[in-house]
Amino acid sequence: QVQLVESGGGLVQAGGSLRLSCAASGRTFSSCAMGWFRQAPGKEREFVAAISWSGGTTYYADSVKGQFTISRDNAKNAVYLQMNSLKPEDTAVYSCAADCRGRGLVMIASTLRSRYDYWGQGTQVTVSS
């Protein structure tokens, strides 16, 4: 079992930056690939970014490529999402998820919610105009 807790959300002005954190516990964190998803009001939950267990491979949704950066610190059992040049359209609840089956990170599969076995409760990000 893996427990995930997100933090770092809040209110930020358009054009600003914010860093989200996801703290993991319950098992060896370094064996898990990690992903970030977001869900805006009235919309489906969508993929944002993913990172392999080693941190050597990352994938991003086209909508955030060049603006968001996913990273991890296995010594701290944490994964981060650095969000720059934020827009009102980025307003959503952001959730982290873990794939702890020891399989390699595959681009298409990493975007699917079914790929991940564990989910955090999410943290609200609101970007004002």
Side-chain angles (χ1 to χ4, degrees):
Q1 189 67 246
V2 174
Q3 294 81 46
L4 304 173
V5 180
E6 302 94 338
S7 63
L11 177 65
V12 64
Q13 293 181 325
S17 299
L18 201 63
R19 189 177 80 157
L20 305 183
S21 298
C22 176
S25 63
R27 64 166 294 160
T28 303
F29 174 74
S30 61
S31 67
C32 306
M34 301 294 297
W36 283 98
F37 289 76
R38 67 184 182 185
Q39 186 168 27
K43 295 185 177 181
E44 295 287 329
R45 182 174 295 185
E46 65 176 349
F47 169 77
V48 176
I51 188 167
S52 64
W53 64 268
S54 68
T57 303
T58 58
Y59 298 119
Y60 297 93
D62 289 340
S63 59
V64 305
K65 195 172 299 181
Q67 296 179 243
F68 291 7
T69 302
I70 188 171
S71 62
R72 67 190 299 159
D73 186 341
N74 289 341
K76 296 182 178 180
N77 285 355
V79 62
Y80 309 99
L81 185 68
Q82 179 67 46
M83 305 185 293
N84 298 325
S85 301
L86 285 165
K87 309 170 184 176
E89 306 91 87
D90 295 318
T91 295
V93 174
Y94 285 73
S95 301
C96 65
D99 172 8
C100 303
R101 301 191 184 192
R103 54 195 173 186
L105 190 68
V106 179
M107 181 179 66
I108 296 176
S110 71
T111 69
L112 304 176
R113 288 172 289 175
S114 61
R115 186 74 167 184
Y116 302 89
D117 300 307
Y118 307 101
W119 293 81
Q121 291 298 305
T123 184
Q124 177 70 50
V125 172
T126 302
V127 184
S128 62
S129 300

